[in-house]
Amino acid sequence: DKKYNIRIMSRDEVRDIAANWAAQEGWNPGLDDADIFYETDNKGFLIGVLDDKPIACISVVKYDQSFGFLGFYIVRPEFRGKGYGLKIWQAGMDYLQNCNIGLDGVIAQQDNYKKSGFKLAYSNIRFKGIAQLAKEKSECISVLEDVSFDKIEKYDRIFFPAFRRNFLERWIKPKYGVGLAFLKNSDIAGYGVIRKCIDGYKIGPLFAEEKYIAEELFIALSNRVEVESNIYMDIPEVNLFAKNLTQKYCMKKVFETVRMYTGELPDLPMDKIFGVTTFELG
């Protein structure tokens, strides 16, 4: 009889196993994601081990006592359909009990998620384009490292269901990339981050008070990477201006997820969310 254990992952396992499997699934994680994700909640990554062989993983990151996000739900292909995934799923859901849980799921799994109490909020769509140098019109753009972190955290909270200090402190200064803010009279009117991924770069998040600010940030972020690099951005389908932005810069749809929650749908200003932070952590 084979022995199946579920336990918390180490930092190395998040980097070497979960992020690698995600890359093999075609999810194109950022080069530095694993470390930042792990620091956000170091008990929030579970691995399923069968006779000492890792075969399944899930992330269940708890931002506070009331909100968590589920991602990295992967079972190695040869072990699918044998109940191993369900067991690690249940362990993850137990860890997040009493939380409103969010996830970005593949469309094919939507009905399974509904069985676990998830409700559809909207679709997120990944777009892919090519970095072209464009003229920056604005003088209002600053590197996030030069902006007060308290201001960034407060601004970010408008667009996310919980404070995420642990995550943000690292996310806004990626090792391979940059975070930029659009400032109006020294107040933040938008911010975005671009980071290097297995393939090209990904913009996320991209939050902005006005569509022209979103576009200015998009141009500035794209200008900070090598010309002709692939650029990806995950947009909420309900933000029509974000869709227009992707069309204007000739980006093509490559992937779609469904954003779902177990509790109340968070009341977020979707018309100001132009780019989702991540599919893995919300």
Side-chain angles (χ1 to χ4, degrees):
D1 192 23
K2 296 197 165 185
K3 203 156 176 269
Y4 184 53
N5 282 324
I6 294 166
R7 60 168 173 75
I8 295 170
M9 284 187 169
S10 68
R11 178 197 297 272
D12 287 351
E13 287 172 328
V14 175
R15 193 173 48 232
D16 301 338
I17 297 175
N20 266 339
W21 289 356
Q24 288 167 29
E25 293 291 327
W27 298 348
N28 195 25
L31 299 187
D32 206 23
D33 285 5
D35 275 331
I36 298 173
F37 290 175
Y38 181 79
E39 290 289 345
T40 305
D41 177 5
N42 60 18
K43 296 186 183 71
F45 292 84
L46 303 180
I47 188 161
V49 181
L50 186 66
D51 289 345
D52 301 330
K53 180 183 177 163
I55 63 158
C57 66
I58 197 166
S59 66
V60 276
V61 166
K62 202 181 276 190
Y63 284 100
D64 60 19
Q65 291 315 301
S66 61
F67 185 72
F69 205 87
L70 185 153
F72 281 107
Y73 180 40
I74 305 170
V75 180
R76 299 304 280 158
E78 63 271 31
F79 295 98
R80 288 175 191 171
K82 296 179 162 70
Y84 298 120
L86 187 59
K87 280 189 177 145
I88 201 167
W89 170 272
Q90 284 164 340
M93 293 293 281
D94 286 348
Y95 177 68
L96 291 179
Q97 65 184 344
N98 306 326
C99 288
N100 184 6
I101 309 168
L103 63 73
D104 270 305
V106 292
I107 293 169
Q109 290 292 332
Q110 192 175 334
D111 289 340
N112 282 335
Y113 298 140
K114 281 182 178 159
K115 286 177 196 154
S116 287
F118 283 87
K119 298 180 285 289
L120 178 65
Y122 49 85
S123 295
N124 284 320
I125 303 173
R126 175 163 295 171
F127 282 89
K128 174 184 181 179
I130 303 243
Q132 302 293 351
L133 267 183
K135 192 163 167 31
E136 293 180 34
K137 296 192 275 292
S138 177
E139 308 280 289
C140 304
I141 287 177
S142 289
V143 179
L144 277 174
E145 289 182 55
D146 297 340
V147 180
S148 132
F149 182 75
D150 288 344
K151 272 189 186 175
I152 298 167
E153 185 181 37
K154 202 167 156 192
Y155 186 74
D156 181 79
R157 179 64 179 87
I158 299 166
F159 305 95
F160 197 74
F163 283 106
R164 46 179 180 173
R165 171 172 284 254
N166 245 2
F167 170 79
L168 268 187
E169 282 178 328
R170 297 164 178 84
W171 193 257
I172 60 175
K173 13 181 214 216
K175 206 182 286 182
Y176 315 99
V178 69
L180 300 175
F182 189 101
L183 299 180
K184 267 188 177 174
N185 310 324
S186 82
D187 284 330
I188 300 176
Y191 92 87
V193 175
I194 191 164
R195 71 196 198 281
K196 194 166 178 50
C197 295
I198 304 256
D199 174 52
Y201 290 83
K202 212 178 279 173
I203 292 175
L206 180 57
F207 301 146
E209 297 304 306
E210 311 267 351
K211 49 185 197 275
Y212 83 90
I213 295 175
E215 183 168 1
E216 281 293 307
L217 281 166
F218 178 86
I219 291 168
L221 290 164
S222 305
N223 281 349
R224 300 300 194 277
V225 305
E226 302 89 23
V227 176
E228 302 292 326
S229 302
N230 285 330
I231 285 193
Y232 295 87
M233 188 161 78
D234 302 333
I235 72 161
E237 191 179 25
V238 289
N239 185 332
L240 295 179
F241 293 127
K243 268 186 151 166
N244 295 343
L245 189 65
T246 60
Q247 281 166 350
K248 182 171 177 180
Y249 291 94
C250 304
M251 299 179 86
K252 301 272 186 289
K253 174 178 169 176
V254 289
F255 189 59
E256 187 173 348
T257 68
V258 281
R259 171 64 60 91
M260 305 178 88
Y261 296 96
T262 53
E264 288 294 305
L265 304 187
D267 185 16
L268 303 175
M270 300 307 300
D271 57 329
K272 298 176 180 181
I273 299 177
F274 292 81
V276 177
T277 311
T278 78
F279 281 165
E280 293 81 21
L281 262 67

